Amino acid sequence: MKNGVTIGQAAAFVGVTVKTVRHYHKLGLVAEPDRDSSGYRRYGSTELLRLVQARTLASAGVPLAEIGALLDADAATLATALADVERQLTERIEELTERRDLLGRLADGDRALLPDRAAALLERMPGLGFPAPEVAAAREGWVLAKALAPEGFDDYLADLEHALGDPRYVTLIKRGAEAAAWEPDDPRIDELATEMAEHYLANPAHLKIVTGMQARTEAATRYQLIAHHGEEQGSAAAKALALVETKLRAAGVRIPRP
């Protein structure tokens, strides 16, 4: 029997493919053995050990570009390098875990883009009589608000939770939702805007739902994007909100202008 084994046998013994062995040769991780008299390269114990070491490091997550240096390193250097690889793998695991958790939240609908507190409010709204389109509009508006004014979003949710416990506020907001189906010249729009403005002025805690978020945006543009999200320009809903803002400004309430 000739000394050593063929590349196919070496790959099988080590647990890799012939293609991998050749790739290790190309990278300089394992030296190619000399050919025998028959023209075949014969892998002895030295090459097999090197292949096992390279495969083990690669399986542990060490980048191929770094394996060569580790194979030739002393024990202390190897230990330090492996500790660094372990740290990188731990960070990668944490990142993948976060992605997995996000996928789980995506499967849970609202909780993918909103905190549990907001999702709970959305689940509560249908029971208060809010139609599905209004709940959907609230969901989109909150996602936008959380992104554009994250520092004020928790306070906004707290103020809204409190206000939704007031039947008068709920009735008023539901009427505002109904205005989406009105014509822009409907005389009820001015009546609704007046009633809403008077309610906010008489209930400072509810007024914070309007002013609290915009006070933290630092720019009128952000407030406008949040407050008027989903509104069709010139619609009854847009006209009603604009009237409410005008009436509040006239009463001295700071509301950013477009």
Side-chain angles (χ1 to χ4, degrees):
M1 179 178 177
K2 297 182 183 295
N3 291 329
V5 297
T6 64
I7 188 172
Q9 291 172 314
F13 291 168
V14 174
V16 296
T17 65
V18 170
K19 183 179 180 180
T20 296
V21 174
R22 287 181 173 142
H23 189 52
Y24 286 174
H25 288 329
K26 182 179 180 181
L27 294 176
L29 303 182
V30 181
E32 287 187 288
D34 296 331
R35 297 181 185 276
D36 63 14
S37 58
S38 301
Y40 291 99
R41 296 189 186 281
R42 293 286 172 173
Y43 292 75
S45 59
T46 299
E47 290 80 20
L48 289 175
L49 175 60
R50 187 85 170 183
L51 283 171
V52 170
Q53 292 172 328
R55 180 213 65 192
T56 302
L57 289 171
S59 298
V62 179
L64 291 179
E66 300 175 14
I67 288 178
L70 294 183
L71 289 174
D72 299 322
D74 57 40
T77 302
L78 178 61
T80 300
L82 291 180
D84 186 57
V85 172
E86 181 180 5
R87 177 188 58 77
Q88 294 176 28
L89 287 175
T90 299
E91 292 176 353
R92 179 63 174 159
I93 289 171
E94 292 174 351
E95 178 186 346
L96 290 174
T97 299
E98 290 178 0
R99 291 187 181 184
R100 182 198 62 192
D101 293 345
L102 178 57
L103 286 175
R105 292 175 69 87
L106 284 170
D108 195 20
D110 295 330
R111 286 177 170 81
L113 298 172
L114 292 169
D116 291 342
R117 190 176 194 175
L121 278 176
L122 290 172
E123 293 171 357
R124 179 182 170 191
M125 289 176 69
L128 294 173
F130 288 96
E134 178 64 14
V135 177
R139 178 186 298 108
E140 291 184 355
W142 294 356
V143 169
L144 189 62
K146 182 176 180 294
L148 296 184
E151 67 281 359
F153 192 61
D154 285 343
D155 289 341
Y156 168 80
L157 290 178
D159 294 335
L160 187 58
E161 282 175 339
H162 179 266
L164 288 178
D166 186 335
R168 297 170 303 165
Y169 177 80
V170 172
T171 298
L172 196 59
I173 297 305
K174 286 195 293 186
R175 283 193 59 203
E178 294 171 0
W182 298 351
E183 293 297 325
D185 58 353
D186 193 309
R188 291 176 295 176
I189 294 176
D190 188 67
E191 297 173 4
L192 174 63
T194 299
E195 185 178 354
M196 294 182 76
E198 290 177 349
H199 177 88
Y200 283 129
L201 292 172
N203 296 272
H206 296 177
L207 179 61
K208 288 195 297 182
I209 297 172
V210 178
T211 62
M213 186 73 71
Q214 57 90 4
R216 298 171 183 261
T217 61
E218 299 177 358
T221 300
R222 291 192 188 190
Y223 169 76
Q224 293 297 323
L225 287 170
I226 295 171
H228 297 270
H229 171 72
E231 290 180 355
E232 183 179 348
Q233 190 171 8
S235 66
K239 184 177 179 181
L241 180 54
L243 283 172
V244 171
E245 292 177 344
T246 297
K247 294 176 185 295
L248 290 177
R249 289 190 193 100
V253 178
R254 181 183 178 280
I255 303 289
R257 297 181 182 277

